[in-house]
């Protein structure tokens, strides 16, 4: 918007007219959106923030009196800031850390597969449980990436989840089959990361 030679009053008037047009267009668009119901959401990509975003959804859901189950497929019994907060709402949030660390930590595929199976069986029960409004499957994409579980079993379960249940899947390298059936996919793009400059994982940032 060019403002050369315009008075402050004219600039403000033009801005108001422009915003009024934008609001009218947005209101018209919103009026066409009538669907509600459970969503399958995927947070993927190489950038930081996938689990962080999912935990943000968990706190938002708690604030709206919803009940959530969080299943962590990779992270073990780590002491994290989000767990300390979410544990304060035991009637609304169940958080199960069922992993044994990253695959390069365990260096034992059979052990990783067994942990993935136990976590997935627990997750399937949570998905089928009508008490939950949201189920977060943290780092499930890593399980699928390394073929620890049959892909068709996971996709079939997610595709046939209860109609009103929100499911969030996190982890980089989301499978095309998951992206295909998801309602929302967000890719975190890494532009810069402090790890590359020598920073280690820090309290309040990484955990």
């Amino acid at each position: 918007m060019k403002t050369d030679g315009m008075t402050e009053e004219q600039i403000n008037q033009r801005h108001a007219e422009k915003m009024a047009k934008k609001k009218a267009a947005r209101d018209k668009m919103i009026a066409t959106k009538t669907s509600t119901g459970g969503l399958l959401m995927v947070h993927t990509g190489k950038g930081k923030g996938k689990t962080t975003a999912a935990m943000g959804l968990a706190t938002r859901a708690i604030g709206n009196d919803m009940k959530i189950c969080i299943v962590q497929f990779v992270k073990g019994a780590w002491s994290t800031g989000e767990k300390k907060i979410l544990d304060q709402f035991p009637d609304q949030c169940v958080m199960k850390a069922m992993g044994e660390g990253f695959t390069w930590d365990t260096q034992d595929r059979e052990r990783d597969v067994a942990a993935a199976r136990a976590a997935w069986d627990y997750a399937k029960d949570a998905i089928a449980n009508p008490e939950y409004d949201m189920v977060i499957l943290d780092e499930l994409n890593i399980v699928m990436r390394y073929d620890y579980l049959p892909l068709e079993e996971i996709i079939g379960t997610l595709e046939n989840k209860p109609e009103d249940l929100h499911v969030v899947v996190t982890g980089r390298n989301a499978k095309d089959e998951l992206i295909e059936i998801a309602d929302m996919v967000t890719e975190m793009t890494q532009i810069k990361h402090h790890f590359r400059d020598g920073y280690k994982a820090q309290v309040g940032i990484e955990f």
Side-chain angles (χ1 to χ4, degrees):
M1 182 174 69
K2 293 184 178 180
T3 59
D4 294 346
M6 297 177 65
T7 66
E8 192 71 17
E9 183 179 353
Q10 289 172 323
I11 293 171
N12 290 339
Q13 178 63 29
R14 180 174 290 189
H15 175 79
E17 292 170 355
K18 185 177 180 180
M19 293 303 107
K21 289 180 181 178
K22 283 195 173 186
K23 184 178 185 306
R26 183 161 184 82
D27 289 346
K28 184 177 180 180
M29 178 188 71
I30 290 174
T32 67
K33 313 299 181 185
T34 58
S35 298
T36 59
L39 301 174
L40 175 56
M41 296 168 275
V42 178
H43 299 168
T44 192
K46 294 182 179 180
K48 177 175 168 54
K50 298 176 285 294
T51 295
T52 304
M55 296 306 157
L57 284 174
T59 57
R60 177 176 289 168
I62 287 172
N64 284 287
D65 300 319
M66 297 166 70
K67 189 165 183 178
I68 310 102
C69 180
I70 302 170
V71 183
Q72 296 187 294
F73 282 81
V74 173
K75 299 177 179 70
W78 301 347
S79 177
T80 62
E82 58 265 31
K83 180 169 174 51
K84 291 175 184 177
I85 291 296
L86 295 174
D87 280 350
Q88 295 182 38
F89 300 89
D91 294 335
Q92 287 182 261
C93 183
V94 174
M95 191 171 186
K96 286 284 188 179
M98 303 186 70
E100 295 195 37
F102 292 101
T103 55
W104 54 82
D105 289 328
T106 62
Q107 300 177 23
D108 185 335
R109 185 178 182 278
E110 287 187 4
R111 186 169 145 193
D112 289 340
V113 169
R117 170 50 68 184
W120 175 241
D121 287 344
Y122 185 92
K124 285 192 296 183
D125 288 343
I127 289 170
N129 188 337
E131 291 187 7
Y132 291 121
D133 301 296
M134 178 182 292
V135 174
I136 296 173
L137 307 174
D138 187 38
E139 304 288 13
L140 177 60
N141 283 335
I142 291 180
V143 169
M144 291 191 279
R145 177 187 180 187
Y146 288 107
D147 299 318
Y148 288 163
L149 298 172
L151 178 62
E152 61 272 14
E153 178 183 346
I154 295 174
I155 296 300
T157 299
L158 296 179
E159 197 168 21
N160 294 288
K161 69 173 183 62
E163 185 176 348
D164 292 331
L165 178 69
H166 297 298
V167 176
V168 185
V169 179
T170 76
R172 60 174 61 191
N173 301 115
K175 292 280 190 178
D176 291 340
E177 292 87 347
L178 176 61
I179 292 173
E180 177 65 28
I181 66 169
D183 298 295
M184 185 191 79
V185 180
T186 299
E187 182 173 10
M188 310 293 184
T189 301
Q190 181 173 296
I191 297 175
K192 295 181 73 174
H193 198 300
H194 49 278
F195 179 77
R196 295 182 179 274
D197 291 328
Y199 288 89
K200 65 179 182 179
Q202 299 185 77
V203 174
I205 305 299
E206 274 76 30
F207 58 92

